Amino acid sequence: MGRLTAVLLLALTAGCATMSPPLPAEAVPPLSANWTLQGRIGVQAGEESLSGQIHWQHSVETDEVLLTSPLGQGVARIVRDADGVALEVPNQPTRRAPDAESLTREALGYTLPVAGLAWWVQARPDPDSPFEATRDDAGRLAQLNQHGWVIDYLQYAADGRPRRLAVAREGLQIRLVADSWQAE
């Protein structure tokens, strides 16, 4: 499996900074413990780039992320449950780890703070970590800095959820477009 595919998958599951005050209630979409996101994703890592489709089912207990090629062929699947995290890639043995951070360390050689992404796609900072936030004129997150990542909120949908966002850190950029979002 290419390093870029691993980064893409693992960035999707789960210094000093200042805590920003909470966002105004009208600027924050409703928090959903269980949701499904479908959309498009692109990753740029140095000279390498990868794009495809994403189907992400999230709940408090589990995550399942399926990445497909632009033509719909399965590229990779990552599953988080009570037993840990598993990464499945066609024609390769399944990789397992107790958590997403351990899996990224094993697959990439360094740890990615993936736990925050389930919060970031909901336009919220991970509540367990310090952050810095910039808001737009409507009071919504425009940029979030957390875990060493910079999350830019490029477009919001009519329901207040982020439609387009870019997540960047040290030569890696992930772009996500949410075409469909369902809270359960």
Side-chain angles (χ1 to χ4, degrees), residues 40-115:
R40 294 165 280 150
I41 190 159
V43 176
Q44 180 76 40
E47 303 277 323
E48 282 187 85
S49 65
L50 175 71
S51 64
Q53 299 172 23
I54 180 171
H55 179 86
W56 183 359
Q57 290 182 294
H58 171 81
S59 74
V60 173
E61 298 84 22
T62 63
D63 278 293
E64 182 176 350
V65 178
L66 176 63
L67 294 175
T68 59
S69 71
L71 299 176
Q73 295 175 312
V75 174
R77 180 174 171 248
I78 189 166
V79 176
R80 176 190 61 86
D81 59 24
D83 296 328
V85 180
L87 172 63
E88 301 168 3
V89 177
N91 304 318
Q92 293 191 18
T94 300
R95 289 184 146 176
R96 298 183 189 282
D99 54 49
E101 288 74 17
S102 298
L103 193 55
T104 60
R105 190 171 39 252
E106 174 192 321
L108 304 173
Y110 56 90
T111 302
L112 295 175
V114 297

Side-chain angles (χ1 to χ4, degrees), residues 102-178:
S102 298
L103 193 55
T104 60
R105 190 171 39 252
E106 174 192 321
L108 304 173
Y110 56 90
T111 302
L112 295 175
V114 297
L117 197 55
W119 294 98
W120 301 340
V121 298
Q122 295 192 76
R124 286 185 165 72
D126 177 347
D128 295 328
S129 298
F131 65 93
E132 293 178 339
T134 304
R135 297 178 179 90
D136 64 15
D137 292 339
R140 301 172 301 197
L141 280 177
Q143 187 177 77
L144 179 65
N145 293 284
Q146 191 169 39
H147 299 296
W149 290 89
V150 177
I151 304 93
D152 287 308
Y153 293 87
L154 306 172
Q155 181 183 25
Y156 281 87
D159 67 0
R161 295 189 189 281
R163 169 136 165 71
R164 292 183 341 132
L165 58 127
V167 180
R169 177 180 178 183
E170 300 172 14
L172 173 69
Q173 184 173 47
I174 302 167
R175 290 191 171 271
L176 179 67
V177 177

